């Protein structure tokens, strides 16, 4: 348990340091403002991974348009997503 906490802390610290270095590099030649113009397509949206992924994408402010596709025509995913504004 202690090893997992230490590993998690080390990984999160490494990600923070890398993100800070990337933001310093990216501001040199690019604008710092971002726009949310992401279009996301979830293939296999009725599956065990696709359904929660679709719900998370629907809740994300960075996703403008979400398209869900699956071989089977189950209306459950569309019903779940229709309840989220």
């Amino acid at each position: 348990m202690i090893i997992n906490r230490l590993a998690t802390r080390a990984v999160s610290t490494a990600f923070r340091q890398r993100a800070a270095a990337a933001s310093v590099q990216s501001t040199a030649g690019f604008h710092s403002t971002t726009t949310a113009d992401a279009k996301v397509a979830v293939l296999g949206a009725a599956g065990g991974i696709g359904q929660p992924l679709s719900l998370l994408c629907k809740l994300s402010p960075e996703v403008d348009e979400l398209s869900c596709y699956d071989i089977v025509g189950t209306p459950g995913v569309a019903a779940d997503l229709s309840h989220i504004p």
Side-chain angles (χ1 to χ4, degrees):
M1 189 65 139
I2 295 172
I3 294 173
N4 287 339
R5 288 182 190 167
L6 292 175
T8 304
R9 187 176 300 147
V11 169
S12 64
T13 302
F15 279 127
R16 269 190 254 120
Q17 290 172 348
R18 179 170 266 179
S23 67
V24 170
Q25 292 173 351
S26 67
T27 58
F30 301 104
H31 297 287
S32 61
T33 59
T34 59
T35 59
D37 292 336
K39 293 182 179 181
V40 177
V42 178
L43 307 178
I49 296 173
Q51 190 167 6
L53 178 64
S54 300
L55 291 169
L56 288 172
C57 288
K58 178 74 175 185
L59 291 172
S60 174
E62 297 179 3
V63 176
D64 282 342
E65 185 177 328
L66 177 64
S67 301
C68 299
Y69 300 98
D70 204 308
I71 294 173
V72 294
T74 55
V77 178
D80 289 343
L81 294 176
S82 69
H83 297 297
I84 300 173

